[in-house]
Amino acid sequence: MTEIFGIDLGTTNSCIATIDELGGQPVVIKNSFDMQTTPSVIYFDEYDQPLVGDEAKRSMAMDPSRAVAFIKREMSNATYRRMVGNVEVTPIMASHLILRKLVDDANAAREFEGKKPVKKAVITVPAYFGNDERERTRKAGELAGLEVIDLVNEPTAAALSYGKATFTEGKTVMVYDLGGGTFDVSIIKMRNGKLDTLSTDGDHKLGGVDWDATLVDFALLSKGLDVTYDDIADKKEGGQLILEAEKCKKMLSTNDKAPMKFRYKGKMMSLEVTRAVFEELTIENLNKTINCVRRAVQLAKKEDSDLKIDEIILVGGSSRMPMVRRKLEKEFPDVKIRMDRFEPDLAVAKGAAIHAQNLTEKTTRKGRPMIGVDKGSRSYGVNAIDTSDGNTEKIFNLLYRTEPLEIDKKVDGFSTYAEGQTKLSIKFYENASPEYSLPINKGKLLQTATIDWGTPVPKGTPITYNIIRGKDGIVHIAAQCQGKSCNVTIDSGKVISDDEMRRIKSEFEDIEL
């Protein structure tokens, strides 16, 4: 049986795990620096050769203009292009290098132990990732030489790692996942031995780095410097400052105050930051996570009107900040809040490894849950004319964010608008609304398609849509009218061309990371 690995492709740190052959438990494979996580940072040297991981993060402090960090935040940006030296960086290209580093280090360790190399993997994604981001993640995995067996939501993977000791039958748990660059929250219930997701929400541009950047701005302001982090992010001072802010933040998780030292324009500066000041500065960021939590709770109540959250699990390194626990205790005063000491950074990768093994075994090992009904985080709809609202063009959702991630459904109720139509132009949209219809400007246009049946038909001729979404979260839609149809895998063609895939592969395949 081919071994399948679990990979947490993180915004700030990444991790790879597998199932131990002897104990049957998930274990993390350490990198070449004997560390369990690898910084998701790439640094291109003066010869445009990439360093990835620990060395790249250290080099970033010297010249951040040649570093690529937090690239996961750009996964939704179809137009993101950045020149670093003579290298054009895209989210897919950068992510593939991070995955390559994880795989190469794991293979070196496995070769030493006489084990087979990594070939297949389950890769985790933020629950709030939409279709585009999931497809780009899959393509990055393929470029890294992986057969991507599945994409799994990060909170769901984290929940798997806690096992049936935590998820007893009927128990409802909220997974609060605050990473370095993204935030997710999922409400999950154990039903019939499986983990069913009731709701999910989040923000893939909110994470620990935003706390760091706020602290940098405070340090600059306190020294009377008329600049912000954004002004100097690509300069040496900015690279060093953001790393110093991260150190200060981590110290404040265990101490009431911490020093912050930095050099600006040749002058050494220092200040002392108290936890109280730090929390006051960053409370707005924390409140954004709570807004996501409240939305998730309201969505979960639509499925379970008697919703009772029994426990909150904190995941992601940034959830270690004391302000997180205190805020959640205030929001949910009667709910147990839990964070295993060493698990916030590793739970997602370990859960992905468990899911990977569940996919390869016919029966689940005793004491180990499986993923039941997972949820998407986006709704998908098409354009149509709302005749009840002044013939206004709107988005009408075919697939709701409240529906299961894996789904196959048929939607009727649409028809041609004009007399004598011979074809139909369809626009497919992604949006965050759980409602049936919404204004056009509230959705993200993913793709267009045309059905051309050739023969004029009367106004009101029926149009039918079939929607299929697999466990990987990628949406396929077929539209039918008068025996003609068009089939679309949303955005799979626009994410990256075959020529671009070949170019990236040939450019980096002989480079040792």
Side-chain angles (χ1 to χ4, degrees):
M1 182 172 62
T2 302
E3 190 173 4
I4 305 178
F5 297 78
I7 295 178
D8 173 11
L9 178 60
T11 312
T12 52
N13 292 286
S14 296
C15 184
I16 182 169
T18 187
I19 301 297
D20 177 62
E21 294 175 353
L22 298 177
Q25 296 301 311
V27 292
V28 167
I29 305 173
K30 292 183 178 180
N31 65 18
S32 58
F33 284 85
D34 200 36
M35 301 297 289
Q36 292 183 306
T37 61
T38 297
S40 302
V41 181
I42 306 160
Y43 183 86
F44 292 92
D45 65 19
E46 63 270 28
Y47 304 106
D48 295 330
Q49 298 298 297
L51 297 171
V52 182
D54 299 270
E55 290 179 286
K57 187 172 181 178
R58 286 195 292 269
S59 300
M60 181 174 71
M62 303 307 297
D63 187 0
S65 68
R66 300 195 71 88
V68 178
F70 314 115
I71 194 65
K72 188 173 173 179
R73 287 187 161 191
E74 302 298 338
M75 274 295 195
S76 61
N77 188 349
T79 62
Y80 183 88
R81 296 286 188 278
R82 178 185 162 199
M83 293 303 298
V84 181
N86 296 308
V87 180
E88 184 181 68
V89 177
T90 65
I92 293 176
M93 184 273 272
S95 297
H96 116 271
L97 288 175
I98 297 166
L99 290 168
R100 269 271 311 275
K101 175 63 174 174
L102 287 176
V103 170
D104 288 355
D105 282 4
N107 283 341
R110 290 175 64 79
E111 184 179 12
F112 180 77
E113 297 170 356
K115 297 179 179 178
K116 293 181 179 180
V118 178
K119 294 292 185 184
K120 297 183 178 182
V122 167
I123 301 177
T124 64
V125 294
Y128 212 58
F129 261 15
N131 191 84
D132 289 12
E133 297 97 319
R134 292 172 188 269
E135 183 67 9
R136 290 188 180 104
T137 302
R138 179 181 288 280
K139 293 296 184 183
E142 292 174 8
L143 280 170
L146 293 168
E147 182 181 346
V148 182
I149 302 301
D150 201 2
L151 301 174
V152 61
N153 288 342
E154 288 167 4
T156 307
L160 275 178
S161 75
Y162 280 83
K164 285 186 177 178
T166 295
F167 284 90
T168 54
E169 186 65 27
K171 187 174 182 178
T172 301
V173 174
M174 176 188 293
V175 180
Y176 177 101
D177 184 358
L178 182 59
T182 60
F183 172 71
D184 274 319
V185 56
S186 288
I187 299 175
I188 300 171
K189 187 169 187 173
M190 172 69 89
R191 291 192 287 212
N192 301 316
K194 294 184 178 182
L195 299 178
D196 287 348
T197 300
L198 303 182
S199 67
T200 189
D201 207 292
D203 187 337
H204 62 258
K205 289 198 174 184
L206 177 66
V209 67
D210 297 291
W211 274 256
D212 301 339
T214 301
L215 193 50
V216 170
D217 287 342
F218 171 72
L220 292 168
L221 179 64
S222 69
K223 294 301 175 181
L225 302 171
D226 190 23
V227 291
T228 66
Y229 173 63
D230 288 342
D231 297 327
I232 61 171
D234 291 336
K235 296 181 172 61
K236 182 178 180 179
E237 292 94 341
Q240 293 176 340
L241 258 170
I242 199 72
L243 294 180
E244 288 300 317
E246 182 185 26
K247 290 179 186 177
C248 183
K249 176 188 69 178
K250 288 180 177 179
M251 288 184 67
L252 289 171
S253 291
T254 54
N255 298 284
D256 291 332
K257 56 186 177 182
M260 185 170 170
K261 299 179 181 180
F262 62 98
R263 187 179 297 276
Y264 187 77
K265 292 189 175 180
K267 185 178 179 181
M268 197 67 192
M269 301 181 181
S270 65
L271 70 154
E272 186 175 78
V273 183
T274 66
R275 183 188 291 176
V277 167
F278 171 69
E279 292 180 349
E280 183 181 353
L281 289 168
T282 57
I283 189 63
E284 185 179 340
N285 291 331
L286 185 59
N287 287 338
K288 289 179 181 178
T289 73
I290 298 303
N291 289 337
C292 295
V293 166
R294 290 170 179 167
R295 288 197 298 267
V297 169
Q298 290 306 311
L299 285 173
K301 285 181 177 178
K302 290 184 177 181
E303 181 165 331
D304 183 356
S305 58
D306 297 322
L307 180 73
K308 178 182 178 296
I309 296 171
D310 299 298
E311 191 170 339
I312 298 173
I313 294 175
L314 302 182
V315 178
S318 297
S319 66
R320 287 188 173 95
M321 292 183 291
M323 64 191 301
V324 170
R325 179 184 288 270
R326 286 203 316 274
K327 188 72 172 178
L328 288 170
E329 286 173 343
K330 185 176 180 181
E331 191 79 8
F332 301 94
D334 301 320
V335 178
K336 177 184 176 183
I337 300 176
R338 171 181 172 184
M339 176 171 55
D340 287 3
R341 184 179 177 190
F342 298 109
E343 288 303 293
D345 301 310
L346 311 179
V348 171
K350 287 185 174 183
I354 291 170
H355 179 56
Q357 187 169 68
N358 285 344
L359 292 175
T360 63
E361 295 183 340
K362 293 182 180 179
T363 58
T364 307
R365 297 194 183 193
K366 186 177 181 180
R368 179 176 295 168
M370 295 184 70
I371 296 175
V373 177
D374 211 345
K375 288 287 178 70
S377 59
R378 295 288 194 275
S379 297
Y380 294 88
V382 295
N383 64 311
I385 301 298
D386 187 350
T387 55
S388 66
D389 187 23
N391 293 333
T392 304
E393 186 179 19
K394 292 183 179 179
I395 298 169
F396 288 84
N397 280 326
L398 309 175
L399 179 59
Y400 299 91
R401 58 178 298 184
T402 52
E403 293 186 282
L405 185 68
E406 191 174 4
I407 196 167
D408 185 344
K409 64 182 291 193
K410 178 181 178 181
V411 181
D412 296 311
F414 292 86
S415 62
T416 56
Y417 174 69
E419 194 70 39
Q421 272 185 245
T422 60
K423 60 183 178 180
L424 178 68
S425 178
I426 306 168
K427 299 174 184 177
F428 297 97
Y429 290 89
E430 182 179 81
N431 62 87
S433 174
E435 305 301 326
Y436 175 53
S437 66
L438 61 152
I440 286 286
N441 62 1
K442 296 297 183 180
K444 174 184 176 182
L445 179 62
L446 294 179
Q447 200 156 331
T448 60
T450 300
I451 308 178
D452 189 344
W453 52 87
T455 305
V457 296
K459 178 180 178 179
T461 299
I463 299 165
T464 300
Y465 292 99
N466 289 91
I467 305 99
I468 299 174
R469 181 168 61 190
K471 289 182 292 185
D472 56 12
I474 296 171
V475 182
H476 310 262
I477 294 180
Q480 298 176 335
C481 185
Q482 291 295 100
K484 299 290 184 179
S485 66
C486 66
N487 297 281
V488 177
T489 299
I490 291 183
D491 214 16
S492 61
K494 293 196 299 180
V495 162
I496 186 171
S497 67
D498 291 340
D499 287 344
E500 180 70 1
M501 288 280 285
R502 284 190 288 267
R503 184 193 69 77
I504 293 174
K505 192 170 183 178
S506 63
E507 185 174 354
F508 294 101
E509 64 182 347
D510 296 326
I511 290 175
E512 185 175 335
L513 299 177

